Amino acid sequence: MDAYTQSVAHHRAGRFDDAIAAARQALVEAPDDPLVHNLLGVCLTSVPSATEGIQLLRRAVARWPGHEHLVTNLAIALQNAGEQKEAWRYLRHLLVLNPASATAIDRLAMLSMTWRGDRNGAARLADRAARLSPQDEGIRINQSLAWAPHDLDRTILALDAAITINPRNTYAYVQKAGALMRRGQLQPALHPLRRALKLDPNHDDAIKHALRCQHYHAASQSAATQEPGPGTGILLRGPFSTASGYAHMGRRYIQTLRKQQMPLQAIGVFGHETWADEPLDKPVGAKAAINIMVPLAVEPIPGLTTILYSMFEGPRISRTWAQQSLAADMVIVPTQSSRLAWASAGYPDDRIRVCPLGVDAEPSAADAPPLTLVDASGRRVDSYRHRFLNVSDAIPRKNLDGVLRVWLRATNRNDDAVLILKPGKGGNEAARRHLQSVVRQTQDHVGRSFADAAPIVLVDQPLSEAEMTGLFRTANYYFSLSHGEGWDLPLSKAGAMGMGLIAPAHSSYMDYLDDRFARMIPCTIGPAHLPYSRDPWEPFFGLDWWEPDEEVAAGIVADIIAGRDKGMPDASGHLLGNFTWDQATHKLRRILADAGLLRDGGTI
């Protein structure tokens, strides 16, 4: 058996080290054979570190640009490595070589959805791939995913096709059950769930779906046994156990409703959350289900009014969000900005209600001391006179590239100032790579090194609630240059704690800030795209967001550092007096009462 054949056999058996060794020998024996280069590249990209394999395939494609197998495997390896833009380029090249390549079209469909955010384009490509390869189980699954946000009927048809091809495909049964649940069809959803659990009794998603069905059925039965008219309690559904903003919002409502002794049923987005003090999964005679989440995750409960409590960070929601929102009988948003985002996309304005959220000064962590931080030279952060803080997920919408551009332009190395950056939850490798890329690009764009600016301290580890409060106490200004916010929990918390606020004059900020309470940055509206690129950012495909005026922002920062701005306004009294969680909860209860859905509406 020659080295090439040995390598193929080892690879098919999962013996990757042996496959690589044999493929290297085959390359020595036939250095000019593109198939040998292809084999070694595939073997090297099958191991955790695929860098060497990708580089080998790149060189081979440059040498044989018309070789379909080489281009296919390079595109797949790049996509698997998260290099979406380059994978997109090679998949399009593959389509030129073979316009009937179902692999290229299928993978372009997935990238259209998950990278570009073009869901309509993804559905068209997925349908084309399915026509070219109708008996490919994976392509049918991907077709169902492409259609899921648009058309649940076509989603289910694609999943049925996948099940016909492979009746033991547990994933397809679970996905079909999820699609039926999103249509509020609980009984039909039970059949594919039973099939999935018969195939795999420990299938995690199937178990979670079944738990939610049980909770929904109990809530539906409870509503049916109540007298006509308003309900006696509230049902909340949301991602309460995660670290997201929606989860934080949901937990605050749960805590406050319990304090107000309002009967409450809480159903987690996964269906299996546990509660510290008492069970919260028992029906309470609710007549409405409040879904604290994005529109695409709503699951109607038969017999209950469906309410979506959500928010958006741009001037208008997407067509997909607008379409999914129509399944809700009412949409509740926290700000006028979000109300306009739904109304401008066609959701009936008379079915939208505004219920502001609360702000968090974290009284439970009132004794938390400031964090001890040092800069790269070993100087303590608390020794700087001007300490600016930004807490943001490392995503394009947060505009960390803008924050860094302003800092480069506004500060010098001898300034008595420091910028503290806390990127999201911390400890995320993808976020680190994004931030590193933005730092490099920002220096090139501005033409100045961060070594010439005032120091930046990166806090890149997860922090507890008390430690987060300590982080806020380390700073005396909070600086946001976001392209759009549904509420901005960190900034509102900073303001409630008495920090000076610098914020763009757009989206949610306009509901709780103005020039009396913060230094406001004027903004324009422009297309949403990736930093230093014209490529779209997936969640905002085809949409606009706000562009803060960075020249004005740099002037504000420079004036503070130079002592020209000695009268930073204080927003704490305004925020704590007008935006508490008690007030938010009473407002929510009043909205339900006015709609005839809750017996006790409370007071505003």
Side-chain angles (χ1 to χ4, degrees):
M1 185 181 296
D2 61 32
Y4 184 95
T5 306
Q6 287 178 345
S7 178
V8 171
H10 286 314
H11 188 267
R12 287 175 177 170
R15 298 186 295 270
F16 297 124
D17 290 342
D18 293 335
I20 291 170
R24 290 191 192 279
Q25 179 59 37
L27 189 61
V28 171
E29 297 171 358
D32 297 321
D33 188 340
L35 286 176
V36 176
H37 287 260
N38 180 65
L39 174 62
L40 180 55
V42 169
C43 291
L44 289 169
T45 57
S46 300
V47 298
S49 178
T51 304
E52 183 185 356
I54 290 173
Q55 291 303 324
L56 186 146
L57 288 170
R58 277 201 186 101
R59 291 193 298 270
V61 168
R63 188 174 174 184
W64 296 287
H67 198 286
E68 186 176 337
H69 291 315
L70 282 170
V71 176
T72 299
N73 287 319
L74 175 57
I76 291 171
L78 288 166
Q79 188 176 0
N80 292 340
E83 301 292 339
Q84 295 99 327
K85 186 174 184 178
E86 201 173 3
W88 178 271
R89 181 165 68 88
Y90 281 107
L91 287 170
R92 290 180 64 87
H93 176 50
L94 176 58
L95 210 53
V96 172
L97 297 176
N98 179 5
S101 171
T103 297
I105 296 166
D106 176 55
R107 288 182 173 269
L108 283 170
M110 288 298 97
L111 283 175
S112 290
M113 182 170 62
T114 61
W115 173 55
R116 294 176 62 83
D118 182 2
R119 298 182 181 276
N120 290 322
R124 289 194 298 271
L125 287 165
D127 284 352
R128 183 178 168 193
R131 286 195 298 271
L132 287 168
S133 187
Q135 296 304 308
D136 188 306
E137 176 187 356
I139 285 177
R140 288 297 194 174
I141 292 290
N142 289 341
Q143 183 187 26
S144 76
L145 296 173
W147 274 110
H150 304 280
D151 190 328
L152 291 174
D153 289 338
R154 297 181 77 164
T155 297
I156 292 168
L157 284 174
L159 290 167
D160 283 339
I163 290 168
T164 300
I165 296 167
N166 179 9
R168 300 190 63 80
N169 188 329
T170 308
Y171 178 83
Y173 289 112
V174 174
Q175 289 295 104
K176 180 177 179 179
L180 291 166
M181 291 169 69
R182 285 173 60 183
R183 294 202 306 198
Q185 295 178 292
L186 300 187
Q187 289 300 321
L190 292 177
H191 175 71
L193 282 179
R194 291 190 187 105
R195 180 63 177 161
L197 289 168
K198 185 176 181 180
L199 291 168
D200 181 1
N202 298 314
H203 194 286
D204 190 52
D205 284 340
I207 293 170
K208 290 173 180 176
H209 282 19
L211 282 171
R212 293 204 308 284
C213 279
Q214 291 176 9
H215 290 315
Y216 297 164
H217 179 72
S220 182
Q221 291 294 105
S222 176
T225 60
Q226 301 295 312
E227 296 180 359
T232 56
I234 290 178
L235 188 156
L236 297 181
R237 178 174 175 257
F240 307 124
S241 63
T242 71
S244 69
Y246 282 111
H248 177 90
M249 171 183 167
R251 288 193 295 268
R252 285 291 185 261
Y253 270 122
I254 288 172
Q255 292 163 359
T256 311
L257 285 165
R258 292 167 80 180
K259 186 176 69 174
Q260 294 177 3
Q261 298 185 325
M262 168 58 61
L264 173 67
Q265 180 182 7
I267 302 176
V269 72
F270 300 117
H272 70 309
E273 281 74 3
T274 57
W275 314 100
D277 300 325
E278 61 184 90
L280 291 178
D281 57 355
K282 305 302 181 186
V284 291
K287 293 296 183 72
I290 303 175
N291 295 266
I292 302 176
M293 59 190 63
V294 298
L296 305 184
V298 173
E299 293 175 342
I301 300 176
L304 276 71
T305 296
T306 300
I307 297 176
L308 169 65
Y309 197 163
S310 193
M311 63 193 77
F312 192 64
E313 301 90 357
R316 176 177 57 85
I317 62 174
S318 68
R319 289 175 57 190
T320 302
W321 273 38
Q323 180 179 343
Q324 296 298 312
S325 295
L326 289 173
D329 302 291
M330 179 191 297
V331 169
I332 302 176
V333 294
T335 65
Q336 289 296 329
S337 173
S338 283
R339 184 188 69 78
L340 291 172
W342 258 265
S344 65
Y347 190 84
D349 196 44
D350 61 353
R351 288 161 52 186
I352 306 174
R353 302 290 183 271
V354 177
C355 182
L357 306 184
V359 300
D360 295 304
E362 303 295 1
S364 63
D367 297 329
L371 289 189
T372 300
L373 303 173
V374 295
D375 66 15
S377 66
R379 178 177 172 179
R380 285 175 60 112
V381 166
D382 59 9
S383 70
Y384 286 92
R385 181 178 181 184
H386 302 291
R387 304 177 300 279
F388 297 80
L389 173 65
N390 179 283
V391 179
S392 298
D393 288 328
I395 57 175
R397 179 175 57 80
K398 294 295 186 177
N399 197 18
L400 289 177
D401 50 307
V403 171
L404 293 173
R405 284 192 297 272
V406 167
W407 194 252
L408 263 185
R409 289 168 174 154
T411 70
N412 296 292
R413 71 174 72 184
N414 295 323
D415 288 339
D416 195 10
V418 62
L419 172 62
I420 307 164
L421 283 183
K422 176 70 175 75
K425 316 303 181 292
N428 184 299
E429 186 57 36
R432 289 194 192 102
R433 289 199 303 269
H434 171 76
L435 195 55
Q436 289 167 357
S437 173
V438 167
V439 166
R440 290 193 300 270
Q441 291 174 297
T442 299
Q443 290 182 136
D444 293 341
H445 180 83
V446 177
R448 191 167 185 242
S449 169
F450 280 104
D452 299 321
I456 298 174
V457 173
L458 182 67
V459 182
D460 188 27
Q461 69 266 13
L463 299 178
S464 66
E465 186 172 287
E467 288 171 329
M468 282 299 296
T469 298
L471 177 66
F472 278 74
R473 287 212 170 91
T474 305
N476 45 14
Y477 310 100
Y478 192 95
F479 176 31
S480 171
L481 213 66
S482 172
H483 289 301
E485 292 293 331
W487 185 257
D488 200 337
L489 291 166
L491 179 136
S492 60
K493 170 178 174 167
M497 293 177 66
M499 295 168 60
L501 301 180
I502 305 168
H506 63 56
S507 64
S508 67
Y509 299 118
M510 303 304 292
D511 275 53
Y512 48 82
L513 294 178
D514 57 36
D515 290 332
R516 296 171 298 167
F517 309 114
R519 291 287 178 257
M520 305 298 289
I521 304 165
C523 305
T524 56
I525 293 178
H529 51 74
L530 297 171
Y532 305 108
S533 169
R534 304 314 300 177
D535 290 330
W537 184 48
E538 178 263 324
F540 272 65
F541 179 85
L543 299 177
D544 292 332
W545 58 20
W546 287 274
E547 298 283 358
D549 189 320
E550 294 181 13
E551 186 174 335
V552 173
I556 292 171
V557 172
D559 284 348
I560 291 172
I561 294 172
R564 293 185 292 269
D565 186 346
K566 299 180 180 179
M568 282 290 287
D570 184 351
S572 58
H574 165 66
L575 292 172
L576 291 174
N578 296 288
F579 299 97
T580 69
W581 283 107
D582 270 330
Q583 290 169 321
T585 303
H586 281 304
K587 175 69 172 178
L588 179 62
R589 291 169 61 178
R590 174 53 60 193
I591 288 172
L592 296 176
D594 289 346
L597 298 169
L598 184 64
R599 191 170 300 167
D600 175 15
T603 58
I604 298 176

